[in-house]
């Protein structure tokens, strides 16, 4: 972020930095977590169980904040993305397996999000949905490849405003706020298989591997883009303000993510669940179901929100796949690099998006594809989180900047919760 003033000793924060100067990788990462596929999960939770699952979004906020702060610290301290650090400390077999699964899951997610965005635009104006799939995909790639990094980050920041569409919708429909508050303070927890399946889905949606790789990669980009900034291993005097920036940026970004998700659950509970509409599979289905139940404005804003969040998330999904693959294979990577200097990196972004576009032409069931993407993410998240915790706790990789005890404890708690979610996911397969 060029707004942050450099000093003689490096890239220091201004004495009283403005909030927009602090917000960056954490804000964009958190906002991108509410992609059209995530909106479908939260809509399903609200439609199927009403307000009963709102507590999960309060519960996961400190967990996802901690794990994202840890990924950001790894990138800022080492000056390398997550895959690059894993490559230095783990075997190639482990690295390539995890990166391959991440790329597959991200590509499927891109296809599902493109389909949801196109379906939402079709609901609003009609027309051929596949044309919209292609237009959204091409637009995302062009912005990511050809727009200067600092300006591109500004575009992504502004796109985070699209998330407030769901806050607006919640205040347009009739919501019993006292009941909502009661369900958050005294949640009704069930051990029914359907309930547990949606809990696992929410956990897997809010804590996803692509977010780890993206935020670590963006911290590396910040070092490259800002005058005087260096990896903290080389410039330890920059550590205190940088860790403070990362913490504020990350916790606010994750609060935005989970806050918006909670509003989606509240909106769909107050409308769809209250009117007996409980089977929602995609975000566009949720928008369509709102049309006869809620005010026309609510339907319009909900559908536009799907498009806005998709435009925010597509580059994050494609970019995190390109960071991971490029670092694993030793390519030049980074959105700050020109196309000629990072052809394979940008080629991966274009290829992942092109495959996502093609998925919408195939006979592949997007709902099943998204389900298997969630399965892969759930499987991959746990070992990656465990590796991150070990890497961030070792002086060999972090020097003097190993994790403080409170952050380490919450990070390991998040890892164990995700491990339990993965076990629960497999346990509910046959239910």
């Amino acid at each position: 972020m060029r707004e942050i003033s450099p000093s003689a000793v490096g890239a220091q924060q201004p004495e009283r930095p403005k909030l927009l100067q602090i917000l960056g990788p954490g804000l964009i990462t958190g906002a991108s977590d509410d992609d059209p596929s995530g909106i479908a999960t939260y809509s399903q939770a609200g439609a199927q169980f009403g307000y009963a699952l709102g507590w999960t979004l309060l519960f996961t906020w400190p967990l996802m904040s901690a794990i994202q702060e840890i990924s950001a610290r790894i990138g800022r301290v080492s000056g390398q993305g997550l895959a690059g650090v894993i490559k230095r400390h783990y075997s190639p077999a482990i690295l390539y397996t995890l990166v391959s699964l991440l790329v597959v899951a991200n590509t499927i997610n891109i296809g599902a999000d493109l389909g949801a965005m196109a379906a939402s635009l079709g609901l609003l104006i009609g027309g051929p949905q596949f044309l919209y799939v292609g237009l959204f995909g091409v637009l995302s790639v062009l912005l990511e490849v050809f727009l200067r990094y600092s300006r591109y980050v500004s575009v992504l920041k502004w796109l985070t405003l699209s998330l407030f569409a769901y806050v607006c919708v919640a205040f347009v429909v009739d919501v019993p706020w006292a009941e909502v508050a009661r369900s958050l303070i005294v949640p009704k927890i069930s051990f029914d298989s359907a309930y547990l399946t949606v809990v696992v889905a929410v956990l897997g949606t809010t804590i996803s591997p692509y977010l780890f790789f993206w935020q670590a990669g963006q911290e590396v980009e910040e070092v490259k883009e800002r005058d005087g900034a260096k990896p903290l291993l080389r410039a330890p005097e920059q550590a205190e303000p940088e860790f403070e920036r990362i913490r504020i940026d990350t916790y606010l970004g994750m609060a935005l993510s989970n806050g918006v998700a909670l509003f989606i659950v509240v909106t769909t509970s107050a409308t769809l669940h209250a009117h007996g509409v409980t089977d929602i599979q995609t975000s566009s289905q949720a928008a369509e179901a709102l049309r006869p139940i809620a005010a026309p404005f609510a339907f319009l804003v909900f559908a536009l929100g799907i498009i806005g969040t998709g435009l925010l998330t597509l580059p994050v999904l494609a970019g995190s796949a390109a960071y991971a693959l490029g670092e694993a294979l030793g390519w030049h990577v980074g959105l700050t690099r020109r196309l000629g200097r990072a052809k394979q990196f940008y080629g991966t972004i274009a290829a992942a998006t092109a495959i996502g576009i093609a998925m919408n032409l195939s006979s592949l069931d997007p709902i099943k594809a998204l389900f298997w993407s969630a399965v892969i993410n759930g499987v991959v998240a746990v070992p990656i989180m465990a590796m991150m915790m070990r890497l961030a706790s070792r002086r060999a990789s972090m020097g003097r900047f190993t994790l403080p005890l409170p952050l380490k404890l919450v990070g390991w708690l998040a890892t164990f919760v995700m491990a339990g979610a993965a076990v629960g996911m497999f346990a509910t397969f046959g239910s």
Side-chain angles (χ1 to χ4, degrees), residues 67-82:
I67 209 70
Q68 289 301 140
E69 181 184 350
I70 290 165
S71 66
R73 280 173 171 254
I74 291 172
R76 187 64 183 86
V77 169
S78 68
Q80 287 187 298
L82 193 53

Side-chain angles (χ1 to χ4, degrees), residues 55 59-60 63 191 195-204 207 377-383 385-386 411-429:
W55 66 270
F59 173 71
T60 56
L63 304 183
F191 294 97
Y195 183 96
L196 291 176
T197 298
V198 179
V199 169
V200 169
V202 170
L203 287 172
I207 304 177
N377 275 326
V379 170
V380 173
V382 178
M385 290 169 71
W412 276 116
L413 175 61
T415 305
F416 290 134
V417 167
M418 281 303 294
V423 172
M425 177 177 60
F426 287 110
T428 56
F429 273 178

Side-chain angles (χ1 to χ4, degrees), residues 112-130 132-133 136 282-285 287-288 291 299 303 306-307 360:
D113 285 351
L114 283 169
M117 294 162 66
S120 296
L121 186 57
L123 290 175
L124 293 173
I125 65 174
Q129 289 190 19
F130 182 70
Y132 302 149
V133 167
F136 284 135
T282 67
S283 52
S284 55
Q285 281 181 9
E288 176 67 11
R291 195 200 299 257
F299 156 74
I306 293 168
I307 296 170
N360 288 272

Side-chain angles (χ1 to χ4, degrees), residues 8-81:
V9 296
Q12 302 287 341
Q13 297 282 1
E15 289 186 10
R16 291 187 177 180
K18 296 178 181 178
L19 187 60
L20 281 179
Q21 292 176 311
I22 295 174
L23 297 178
L27 173 70
I28 295 167
T29 302
S32 68
D33 197 21
D34 291 329
D35 68 321
S37 303
I39 293 167
T41 299
Y42 305 134
S43 298
Q44 181 184 15
Q48 192 170 354
F49 294 102
Y51 308 110
L53 286 173
W55 66 270
T56 59
L57 297 162
L58 298 183
F59 173 71
T60 56
W61 175 65
L63 304 183
M64 68 185 296
S65 296
I67 209 70
Q68 289 301 140
E69 181 184 350
I70 290 165
S71 66
R73 280 173 171 254
I74 291 172
R76 187 64 183 86
V77 169
S78 68
Q80 287 187 298

